[in-house]
Every structure is written in structure tokens, then in C-alpha cells.
């Protein structure tokens, strides 16, 4: 099994480079109950890094499923006052938050999709004002993941449970650059510099649109928002603290123009959404909006995502990723967006990240929307990259530059 040394390196990476907790800061950790041994390491590492207090919020996918199976919808929709008060207190204290993901792919397969949608919609509306804390990088946040047996067996179905978990651990640690005899923090600093250099090149181009095309069925034009900015790798909170929101991460991403997407995109990997596994799907866009779609499995879940609210039928992110990233080269399908999105170019339905628009901190929501920013209560990534993907950058004057060919950047 994975060594204690590697686990402690992972905890240190998540706390010190992921959320980068500051001296005296409140650190909140959200994690599944089965993750307790690793969570304890993160709590200890948080205090060693200088956290003033560490609070753990426990989750349990199995209990959540039971809630949906047996509790009435109005009960599940209710958001008590103490919960919103707690969230407000965390914000008032300037907290940072670490998510330790260990979800089970497809766990909600047998749960009524309409009920899930009603509950999620009500709860997100009640907590919408708190979402901006992470979406706008008001404070530091990060997501890491650890295996569970159900997830591991989904990824490695031919293995025994213990072997499957061990193999998934190996794949996760490799993806976050924890390797023998090397300092993962130094490796991440180098990786962040490389992503930053690519951001600089893309920002200098000032493309008006991107044209994606491959043999899988994707032929899509994505116009970019006015004043769009390319980001990727480490980010800064509004107080200037550098942090890494996703570990792993391999993407360079920016903001599409809300009404500027047209054509068809064919997904190349399954999408896990609200406990459902949506497989083999495509979406067609007109004037930015998803107008037609189909999935071979869990099509109602795809429809519920697209129809979640007014903004969920539009794009909020476009991300570019080489096919030669460590995750892509591993050949492993993780059934988890945190990993699979880093093996493939991807798009996100729903809310855009304000940091992807120049000057957004001083703009109102209406001003951002006028420049092409999309707003929604959801932000869900899905993968469409392939080893034959070609991306053409289109300038405002109509001139074109092919900068991504055969699934890879071809920047000189």
C-alpha cells in the first residue's frame, strides 16, 4: 500500500501549495468520512503551516443516497438558518477551504433524477451568494482526491478491491507529481511556471474566437469574451495569496463569449453529474445556447444539467490541454472530472470565472454580462479533446493561426 511518507507529502502539498493556508487563518476541510486517516494528516499539516483553527465538515455519499431514497423532497430542499449563518461566519473570518474528494461514480444511478434536480436547485439558490467566494477567488481554495474501493473498482474492474485501491493511489500520486526522491513542491513550482508561459503566449494573441475540429464529430466555433484572460496553474486570491485550486491541473483556460458559440461538440469521456454517469453524448449550440443534445446513457441527467437555470445552457469556460499530459498518457479513465478534465480539452456549462475577464473586480454583473460573461448556479466541465484535435485561433481581422494540432500545442 501507499507509504506514510507519500501520504504526508500529499497532505503537505494540499495544505501548503494547494490552499496555502496563512498564519492564523481558518482552514475548513470538506471530506468523506472514509477519508478520515488522510484528513487527520491534513489537519495536522494545517496547524503546522500556521492555521489558527481547522474545522472539518464530514460528508457521506451512502447516507446522501439514503436521504434521497427515503426523505421527502421539501425536507431535503430546506436550508436551515444555522447553515447559512455558518457559511457567512467562515467568509467573515477570511477562511480557506480544502475539498478532499472521494466520491463514488454513479452512486445516484437509481435515484429519481427529478427529485435530485429539485433538491439541488433549491439548495444552490439558498447558498448562491456564498458561491462567489471561491468562483471569484475571494479566498484560497483547492481540491484533491483520494481513492475508495467502489471508485477504484470502477477504474480497475479486473482487479481485487485492495489491488484496485493501490493502483488508483499510484495513479493519483503520479498525477500530482509525488515521485520517489523528488520534492513535489519544487516540481509543482516548475509546472506552474510552464503553464504561466503558455498563458502569456495566449494572452498576447488576443484571439477573437477559437475553431475546434476533429474526426470524432466536433466542429465548434467558440468566440471569446471581450477582455478575456487566459489563466491556468496557480492563482491569486484577492488578498494576493498564491494558491493552486485544482491538484492535479494541466489546463490553460479562459472565458467564452456567452452568445458566441455555434456548432457541435462530441464528448470524448463520460461525465459524472449529480451521481449519474452520462456517457457518449453530444451537444449542438446556436448563438451560444445548447439547443440540441443526446446521450446514450443518462440523457435525462444531461438534460437536467443543460436546463438547470437560464445560464446552464451556455458556456462559462473553454480549456486547452495537451494529449501528452501525465494523466492522458496514463491511459486511465478516472470517472472523475478532477482527473479526466486534465487529460483532455474541455468546456464548462454554466457560470464563468470572473478572473477570466480583465477588470472584473470593479464591474457589476450587468457590465460583465455585456462583455460576454455567463452567470449560472452551476459550473460543470465535460471533456471533448482527442488526439486528432485541431484548434485554429481567429483574430478580429479574420486572420487565422493553427496553434494546436493532433491534440497538442504547436507554438513556436
Amino acid at each position: 500500500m501507499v507509504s506514510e511518507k507519500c501520504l504526508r507529502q500529499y497532505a503537505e502539498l494540499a495544505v501548503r501549495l494547494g490552499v496555502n493556508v496563512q498564519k492564523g487563518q481558518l482552514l475548513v476541510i470538506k471530506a468523506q468520512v472514509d477519508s478520515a486517516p488522510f484528513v487527520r494528516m491534513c489537519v495536522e499539516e494545517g496547524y503546522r503551516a500556521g492555521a489558527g483553527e481547522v474545522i472539518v465538515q464530514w460528508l457521506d455519499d451512502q447516507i446522501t443516497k439514503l436521504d434521497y431514497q427515503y426523505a421527502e423532497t421539501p425536507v431535503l430542499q430546506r436550508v436551515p438558518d444555522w447553515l447559512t449563518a455558518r457559511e457567512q461566519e467562515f467568509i467573515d473570518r477570511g477562511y480557506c477551504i480544502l475539498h478532499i474528494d472521494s466520491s463514488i461514480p454513479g452512486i445516484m444511478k437509481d435515484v429519481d433524477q427529478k427529485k435530485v434536480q429539485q433538491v439541488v436547485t433549491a439548495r444552490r439558490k439558498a447558498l448562491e451568494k456564498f458561491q462567489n467566494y471561491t468562483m471569484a477567488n475571494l479566498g484560497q481554495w483547492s481540491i484533491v482526491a483520494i481513492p475508495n474501493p467502489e471508485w477504484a473498482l470502477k477504474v480497475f474492474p479486473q482487479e481485487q478491491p485492495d489491488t484496485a485501491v493501490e493502483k488508483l493511489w499510484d495513479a493519483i500520486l503520479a498525477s500530482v507529481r509525488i515521485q520517489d526522491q523528488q520534492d513535489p513542491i519544487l516540481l509543482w513550482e516548475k509546472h506552474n511556471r510552464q503553464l504561466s508561459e503558455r498563458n502569456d503566449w495566449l494572452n498576447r494573441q488576443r484571439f477573437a474566437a477559437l475553431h475546434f475540429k476533429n474526426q470524432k464529430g466536433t466542429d465548434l466555433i467558440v468566440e471569446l469574451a471581450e477582455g478575456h484572460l487566459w489563466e491556468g496553474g496557480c492563482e491569486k486570491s484577492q488578498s494576493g495569496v498564491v494558491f493552486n485550486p485544482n491538484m492535479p491541473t494541466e489546463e490553460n483556460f479562459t472565458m467564452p463569449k456567452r452568445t458566441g458559440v455555434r456548432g457541435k461538440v462530441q464528448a470524448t469521456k463520460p461525465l459524472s453529474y449529480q451521481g449519474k454517469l452520462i456517457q457518449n453524448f453530444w451537444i449542438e449550440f446556436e448563438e451560444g445556447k445548447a439547443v440540441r443534445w443526446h446521450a446514450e446513457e443518462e440523457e435525462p441527467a444531461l438534460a437536467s444539467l443543460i436546463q438547470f437555470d437560464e445560464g446552464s445552457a451556455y458556456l462559462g469556460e473553454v480549456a486547452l490541454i495537451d494529449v501528452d499530459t501525465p494523466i492522458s498518457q496514463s491511459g486511465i479513465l478516472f470517472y472523475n472530472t478532477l482527473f479526466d478534465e486534465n487529460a483532455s480539452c474541455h468546456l464548462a456549462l454554466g457560470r464563468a470565472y470572473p478572473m477570466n475577464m480583465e477588470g472584473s473586480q470593479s464591474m457589476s454583473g450587468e457590465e460583465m454580462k455585456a462583455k460576454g460573461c455567463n452567470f449560472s448556479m452551476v459550473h460543470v466541465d465535460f471533456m471533448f479533446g482527442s488526439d486528432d484535435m485541431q484548434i485554429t485561433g481567429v483574430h478580429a481581422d479574420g486572420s487565422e493561426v493553427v496553434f494546436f494540432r493532433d491534440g497538442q500545442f504547436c507554438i513556436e
Side-chain angles (χ1 to χ4, degrees):
M1 293 298 291
V2 61
S3 69
E4 182 174 345
K5 176 185 176 182
C6 286
L7 289 177
R8 292 206 173 272
Q9 282 184 317
Y10 195 19
E12 180 183 14
L13 192 66
V15 169
R16 294 181 184 266
L17 204 73
V19 292
N20 190 11
V21 62
Q22 300 294 288
K23 185 173 178 58
Q25 190 175 22
L26 168 64
L27 169 60
V28 175
I29 299 175
K30 289 189 177 182
Q32 296 283 327
V33 291
D34 294 340
S35 306
F38 181 68
V39 173
R40 295 186 193 109
M41 290 183 180
C42 291
V43 170
E44 183 177 5
E45 192 58 44
Y47 281 121
R48 285 180 173 176
E53 183 181 8
V54 182
I55 295 175
V56 178
Q57 296 178 355
W58 296 108
L59 310 170
D60 190 310
D61 279 353
Q62 301 285 3
I63 291 177
T64 299
K65 182 177 181 179
L66 291 171
D67 288 338
Y68 275 104
Q69 288 176 325
Y70 292 100
E72 297 294 329
T73 299
V75 173
L76 297 177
Q77 288 176 314
R78 179 175 173 269
V79 178
D81 292 341
W82 66 262
L83 196 155
T84 54
R86 181 189 67 185
E87 295 300 310
Q88 188 60 56
E89 179 187 345
F90 288 167
I91 290 176
D92 292 344
R93 293 176 63 182
Y95 78 118
C96 59
I97 182 165
L98 174 63
H99 297 268
I100 301 174
D101 183 21
S102 188
S103 52
I104 301 172
I107 190 171
M108 304 292 278
K109 179 177 176 59
D110 300 323
V111 176
D112 178 24
Q113 179 62 40
K114 182 179 179 180
K115 185 176 185 179
V116 173
Q117 185 78 350
Q118 290 174 334
V119 172
V120 172
T121 301
R123 294 182 68 83
R124 288 197 173 170
K125 283 182 178 178
L127 298 170
E128 184 177 10
K129 67 178 182 178
F130 304 114
Q131 185 182 26
N132 197 51
Y133 189 78
T134 53
M135 290 294 291
N137 289 348
L138 298 179
Q140 316 101 271
W141 57 279
S142 190
I143 306 173
V144 299
I146 69 170
N148 61 63
E150 294 87 352
W151 177 21
L153 286 170
K154 182 70 175 179
V155 178
F156 301 106
Q158 306 303 318
E159 303 291 349
Q160 294 298 312
D162 288 349
T163 303
V165 169
E166 186 171 357
K167 292 184 71 170
L168 186 52
W169 259 124
D170 289 343
I172 289 173
L173 293 176
S175 76
V176 294
R177 293 172 164 79
I178 292 179
Q179 303 170 10
D180 291 339
Q181 311 303 320
Q182 296 192 62
D183 185 340
I185 291 181
L186 292 179
L187 293 176
W188 268 87
E189 290 173 346
K190 178 182 178 182
H191 179 53
N192 281 330
R193 286 194 298 271
Q194 292 170 336
L195 289 173
S196 179
E197 290 170 359
R198 190 170 287 164
N199 288 333
D200 291 343
W201 185 90
L202 288 163
N203 282 322
R204 288 195 301 271
Q205 302 309 304
R206 305 312 305 164
F207 290 128
L210 304 177
H211 184 186
F212 297 86
K213 195 168 185 179
N214 66 11
Q215 297 301 312
K216 307 292 189 296
T218 291
D219 190 351
L220 189 74
I221 301 289
V222 178
E223 294 182 35
L224 302 181
E226 182 182 344
H228 68 274
L229 293 172
W230 288 91
E231 302 282 354
C234 60
E235 298 173 12
K236 280 187 180 180
S237 70
Q238 288 198 6
S239 61
V241 179
V242 177
F243 66 100
N244 285 266
N246 293 319
M247 305 187 84
T249 187
E250 304 286 346
E251 64 182 322
N252 298 92
F253 64 97
T254 195
M255 185 187 295
K257 180 180 177 182
R258 184 178 189 271
T259 57
V261 182
R262 56 192 180 275
K264 180 179 180 179
V265 58
Q266 174 70 51
T268 51
K269 293 181 183 293
L271 169 62
S272 181
Y273 175 67
Q274 293 183 352
K276 310 279 187 175
L277 203 60
I278 306 168
Q279 304 214 52
N280 300 322
F281 65 95
W282 54 260
I283 305 173
E284 289 186 358
F285 293 86
E286 294 178 3
E287 297 182 347
K289 186 176 183 179
V291 293
R292 287 174 290 277
W293 55 85
H294 173 70
E296 290 185 8
E297 295 185 31
E298 299 291 359
E299 185 170 314
L302 177 62
S304 71
L305 166 59
I306 294 171
Q307 298 169 342
F308 192 96
D309 59 20
E310 181 184 355
S312 59
Y314 296 84
L315 295 183
E317 178 188 345
V318 53
L320 313 182
I321 296 172
D322 269 339
V323 293
D324 66 351
T325 65
I327 295 174
S328 180
Q329 290 298 303
S330 75
I332 296 172
L333 178 61
F334 283 85
Y335 298 95
N336 183 299
T337 300
L338 176 63
F339 297 90
D340 290 334
E341 72 171 6
N342 287 298
S344 166
C345 292
H346 59 269
L347 302 168
L349 289 163
R351 185 167 180 163
Y353 288 108
M355 64 181 170
N356 284 132
M357 178 173 283
E358 189 174 14
S360 62
Q361 293 181 10
S362 60
M363 292 183 195
S364 67
E366 287 303 313
E367 289 173 325
M368 293 178 65
K369 191 171 183 178
K371 289 180 176 290
C373 183
N374 188 42
F375 290 89
S376 173
M377 286 186 291
V378 299
H379 177 99
V380 179
D381 298 297
F382 66 93
M383 286 58 74
F384 75 112
S386 65
D387 58 9
D388 66 341
M389 177 67 75
Q390 176 173 299
I391 308 174
T392 303
V394 183
H395 293 290
D397 63 4
S399 60
E400 298 183 350
V401 177
V402 176
F403 67 93
F404 198 98
R405 184 181 288 113
D406 296 328
Q408 292 181 304
F409 281 94
C410 51
I411 300 170
E412 294 183 0

